Structures are given as structure tokens and as C-alpha cells.
Amino acid sequence: MRAVLTSLAIVSMVFGLSAAPASSQQQSAGDAVVTDPLEFDESPAEFLFTKQDKKEWKKISSREQAEEFIDLFWVRRNPEPSVSFNPVKAQFDERVRYADENFSARGGRGALSDRGKVLILLGPPHRAQAGPPSQFTDSSDAQTAARAEAWLYDPAQLPEELKVSGNRLIFVFVEQGIDTNDFVLDRSNPEASMGARALSKTPDAYLLHPDLQEVPKPVSVPGGEAASATQLAWLEQGDFQWTEASHALPVSGVSDPTSRPLWLHLALPQDAPTLDVFAGTVSDADGEVLSTFQVAAEPITSQTGTAYHLVFPLAQGSYRLDVVGAADDQPQVGYSFEVEVPAAQTEGTWMSDLLVAVDTEMRDDALLGSPFCFGRMHIVPLQSGSTVERESELTYLGFIVRPGQDESGESRVKARIVLKKDGTRFGKPLEMPLQVIQLYEDLYVFVNAINLARLPEPGDYSLEFRIRDSVSDVVVERDLDLTVAE
């Protein structure tokens, strides 16, 4: 190379794109990859074809066979084949969508371009630079090009299976004509062969379960198993002893800027038996069972009794969720929900639902997406109508993705809380700025607390929360009724 890339701009300066999410439930233009199953090998998915895939594809002669091939193709690349949500495919789809929207040129799909292929297989470059071709290459053909881009990857941040040696991996793309957006990989570049070797290894790196010969029956909950026939029979029994005395709260959670898993909070009174297993099904809007599950119940002690938390990594859509909790093989509590998993905006600011809690704990092992975890803070959420002790501290919190920034680069998020007692406003509204804390890429959390001990007396109260991003003018609101007891 003529110029050593010693001061590369962060990739977002070139693409407006940060690191691709670890998982995504956003369904996009790349979701199906191709509309006709028989053209699957002509889609971006062909980048992932192994030698064995190519042999198997040559045997395909019908649409039904193609659909079966595609289903097994993606299951073999799913970290957890028995879980219906596939983070690898979701990430792949998101990269395809981005490439189609930003790299298309002269009527061709951006996802099938040279830049699209590199982005889809390796993710966004760790650093990148745009400039005249002479800055990056000595190729005589490239010197007549209008612009060039150099993408740099740090081998230490790439999968070990790619076996990339050295301290950098560079791809140089040159534009074929002024303002055409048609960038072609400069294969004459001395370092291009290293990139080609890395790309050639990606199909095997993505293949996680090569020996799978059929699509496993999906399991709804990570770490769980398919429900047994006995457990599925529980769903038909109807009423259970502790259902009316318990309550449940399904919430659209957050695991990264483009993923909205379903979180489920179940709370049983203090005199209820301790559950040891949950089982159930997830069905689509038409009632077809998509997956089943059984998973060990992990009790959480709270002020109001014993709580349990589950997570369902579902894609965007409408679902019916049937859940039964059992102790000593005897069902104790059961719920059915009609739930909607929303899409996460891929651009702009958005906020999750606001949650309120009096029971919180710090978990050093908490992962993004773990139910009711905000960073390391795990909460037991309150439902409207709950009774709490007067000495409690009321914590309210939520996620904010891509918070707006003012001219000085600062976020401006504010809270306004109206307190009412017996339906009448009690004192002046509380207004205060909120600090936002970055968790991952564009994902932030806000958290604050109210000391209920400052209330003059116990009684029935209601709180009206309004959280507003003053820069983007995005707002989330929540009303909560509470009985405050001595």
C-alpha cells in the first residue's frame, strides 16, 4: 500500500453504522434472503455455502425440498438449534438489509456487491477510511477510479476459526465511475490475498452443527427442554389453586438495540408452595403451536412473596403464551397471554417500557437480555395495585436506545412525576434530570429512585411517570397505583 492507515476514522463516520448487534429480532428486507426458495443459492446466503452445502443443493429439484434445505441450513448455524430464535440468522439478515440499503449500484443488490459480501461475512470494519485511490493502492486500474474505501479489521476481534495472522486485515474498494456507488474490491492489492483466505474460511466458521440431519423440535426458553406429554396435559386442566392469588406481568424487554425478547414476571403469595418447574407452549396468532418448553423454576424472594422470571427470545409478531408452574409434579398456577413483540427501531431514539420496583439486587453475572436486568441491576417489578412498605425505596428505570445529544454532545433526559393521594394531586410534581449510562453500543439505561419514607402517612397513592428525551422529544409514560403500608 502506498499509505499506511495510521489514523483511520471509526466506521460510523463512513457508514453511520456501529458494530453489528450480537443478535437481532428485527425482520427486514434480508429476512427471507430470497423470495423464491429455488433461488436460495443466488442470494447472499450463498456466501455461507460449504462444499457439502453445494453438493446437497445440486440435488434439489422441488420447492418443498428447497424449503427443507433452507430450514436445516439455518438450524445448523443456530447456536442453540432447539431455540426458535436464531441470532446468527438475525444478524445476517440485518447486515443484508444494511448492505442493500447502502451499497446498491447500477441496479444490482448491495448485499451481492463486494462491500456487501465483506460486511455480511465479517461485520462492519473495526476502522475505515475513504479517500482518493492513490491513497490506498498502486494499481494502475484503480488510479482512474473516482473514490476508494479502505476497511481495516483487527484479527484479534475476528473469530479464531478464520486463522487470520498479523496485526491487521485490510480490504480496499475502488469506485467504478464517479458517484456510481459501485465499489469493487481491489484484488491486485498485495494484502488482498489474506482477505480472500479469511473470507474463504467463513462458511465453515458459521457452521456450528454440521452433523444435524433434521430440524429439532424448537424449545421456547433458552436452557430449557421440550415439554413432556404429561406437562402439556397440564395446560388442558384449566383452573389451578394458586392462579387467582398470584399475578403475572409480560413485558417487552431489551437485549440490544435491535432485539426485544419477551420477559415474563410471575409472583406468588408468601404462603404458596415453591415451584420447581415451568412448562408450556408458544403459539402463533392462528393458534398453531410453534414451540414448547420446560425449565427449572428459580425462586426470587420479594416483599410481596416469591417471584419467578422467564425470557422468551421471540421475533416480532403476535403470540399466545401458555404457562404452568408446578411443584412436586403437581401444577399449581397457570396463565394464558396474548402478547405482541414489537419491532425495535433501527434508527433514531426509542425507549423501552418504564418499570418500577422496590426489590433490586446487583448481579455480576447478569447478561444483556436476561429478564428484568438493566446492566447488572436485577429488579422484581411492581404491578399497579401492589402493596409496599412505607420504608421502601421506589426504583424506576428503563432502556433508551440512541439517546439524543445536544450541541455539546450531552444527553438530556428528564423525569416528571406527579404524586396523587386518593385521586388528588399531592404536592408539586417532581422534575429532575436523569443520567443515562451506556451498556453496549447504542444501548443505555436510566435509573432513579424515590424514598417513600418521605410520605407523610400511609394510604393509597398513584404515581404518574413521564420520561422525556429533551433532544429527540421521545417520551415514555407509566401510571402506577400503590398502597403504602406501615
Side-chain angles (χ1 to χ4, degrees), residues 11-250:
V11 64
S12 60
M13 297 179 65
V14 179
F15 307 127
L17 177 72
S18 59
S23 64
S24 169
Q25 292 174 335
Q26 177 67 24
Q27 304 301 300
S28 61
D31 173 50
V33 181
V34 62
T35 55
D36 186 349
L38 292 172
E39 297 177 357
F40 189 64
D41 64 328
E42 300 175 14
S43 75
E46 189 271 337
F47 299 153
L48 300 182
F49 272 39
T50 63
K51 291 181 180 179
Q52 184 61 33
D53 289 324
K54 294 176 181 178
K55 291 180 180 179
E56 293 180 6
W57 183 258
K58 288 181 179 179
K59 302 175 184 178
I60 300 298
S61 59
S62 68
R63 182 180 296 272
E64 181 180 0
Q65 290 177 338
E67 290 173 347
E68 291 176 354
F69 176 95
I70 294 170
D71 288 342
L72 185 58
F73 178 89
W74 287 117
V75 166
R76 286 173 172 170
R77 290 155 179 82
N78 190 346
E80 296 187 52
S82 61
V83 176
S84 57
F85 173 65
N86 184 343
V88 170
K89 182 179 183 299
Q91 182 185 68
F92 183 90
D93 291 343
E94 181 63 20
R95 291 175 178 176
V96 168
R97 180 198 64 80
Y98 183 90
D100 278 337
E101 291 180 357
N102 293 275
F103 300 155
S104 295
R106 302 182 182 185
R109 283 190 67 177
L112 297 177
S113 68
D114 286 347
R115 289 187 299 174
K117 180 176 182 178
V118 175
L119 173 72
I120 290 167
L121 294 180
L122 299 183
H126 303 135
R127 289 188 286 177
Q129 191 176 36
S134 59
Q135 185 174 354
F136 310 117
T137 179
D138 292 321
S139 169
S140 58
D141 293 337
Q143 301 312 307
T144 61
R147 295 178 296 167
E149 291 179 1
W151 293 10
L152 182 144
Y153 292 86
D154 179 359
Q157 299 183 49
L158 293 173
E160 294 182 2
E161 295 86 350
L162 300 185
K163 298 179 180 179
V164 180
S165 58
N167 58 9
R168 68 182 184 184
L169 184 66
I170 296 178
F171 297 86
V172 175
F173 305 91
V174 292
E175 188 178 25
Q176 308 299 293
I178 298 175
D179 294 331
T180 62
N181 200 40
D182 184 12
F183 285 80
V184 175
L185 180 65
D186 179 13
R187 291 170 173 80
S188 67
N189 188 282
E191 300 191 52
S193 59
M194 184 182 297
R197 286 195 298 273
L199 293 177
S200 69
K201 296 178 183 298
T202 52
D204 290 322
Y206 276 91
L207 184 62
L208 305 178
H209 308 282
D211 297 329
L212 275 179
Q213 298 302 313
E214 60 182 19
V215 178
K217 188 174 183 179
V219 175
S220 313
V221 179
E225 299 177 357
S228 67
T230 298
Q231 292 167 335
L232 293 177
W234 293 345
L235 302 177
E236 307 297 328
Q237 292 186 22
D239 296 334
F240 301 99
Q241 179 180 354
W242 291 97
T243 299
E244 290 188 6
S246 308
H247 67 262
L249 177 67

Side-chain angles (χ1 to χ4, degrees), residues 1 26 67 77 84 119 121 211 219 235 247 251 260 291 298 306 378 383 390 445 458 470 475 479:
M1 298 185 83
Q26 177 67 24
E67 290 173 347
R77 290 155 179 82
S84 57
L119 173 72
L121 294 180
D211 297 329
V219 175
L235 302 177
H247 67 262
V251 175
R260 301 299 307 271
S291 56
E298 298 181 4
T306 304
H378 175 255
Q383 286 187 299
R390 190 179 175 192
V445 65
S470 302
V475 174
D479 293 345

Side-chain angles (χ1 to χ4, degrees), residues 289-448:
V289 175
L290 302 175
S291 56
T292 72
F293 69 93
Q294 60 168 305
V295 64
E298 298 181 4
I300 305 163
T301 301
S302 70
Q303 281 192 25
T304 57
T306 304
Y308 302 87
H309 288 165
L310 298 174
V311 59
F312 299 83
L314 302 171
Q316 175 192 356
S318 300
Y319 301 91
R320 175 189 169 95
L321 180 62
D322 293 286
V323 181
V324 173
D328 298 326
D329 292 327
Q330 295 298 317
Q332 305 291 333
V333 60
Y335 291 96
S336 294
F337 311 96
E338 301 291 336
V339 297
E340 187 76 24
V341 176
Q345 298 172 212
T346 57
E347 297 179 353
T349 302
W350 61 271
M351 285 189 273
S352 70
D353 294 336
L354 180 73
L355 293 179
V356 183
V358 292
D359 293 292
T360 65
E361 64 174 339
M362 301 305 293
R363 289 187 176 178
D364 292 334
D365 60 346
L367 301 175
L368 287 175
S370 297
F372 302 98
C373 284
F374 296 77
R376 291 189 301 130
M377 178 178 285
H378 175 255
I379 71 165
V380 178
L382 286 174
Q383 286 187 299
S384 197
S386 298
T387 299
V388 298
E389 298 174 2
R390 190 179 175 192
E391 297 301 317
S392 302
E393 187 173 71
L394 202 65
T395 301
Y396 59 96
L397 70 177
F399 291 100
I400 180 169
V401 175
R402 293 178 292 271
Q405 295 183 341
D406 60 18
E407 295 179 355
S408 62
E410 297 293 326
S411 300
R412 304 273 181 201
V413 180
K414 296 181 179 180
R416 186 177 190 271
I417 304 172
V418 176
L419 179 65
K420 295 182 179 180
K421 186 175 187 300
D422 299 325
T424 302
R425 196 173 79 177
F426 190 80
K428 295 182 179 179
L430 301 174
E431 297 190 12
M432 64 204 76
L434 298 178
Q435 181 183 8
V436 295
I437 303 169
Q438 186 175 23
L439 298 179
Y440 167 80
E441 299 293 340
D442 295 331
L443 182 62
Y444 294 74
V445 65
F446 61 84
V447 58
N448 209 342

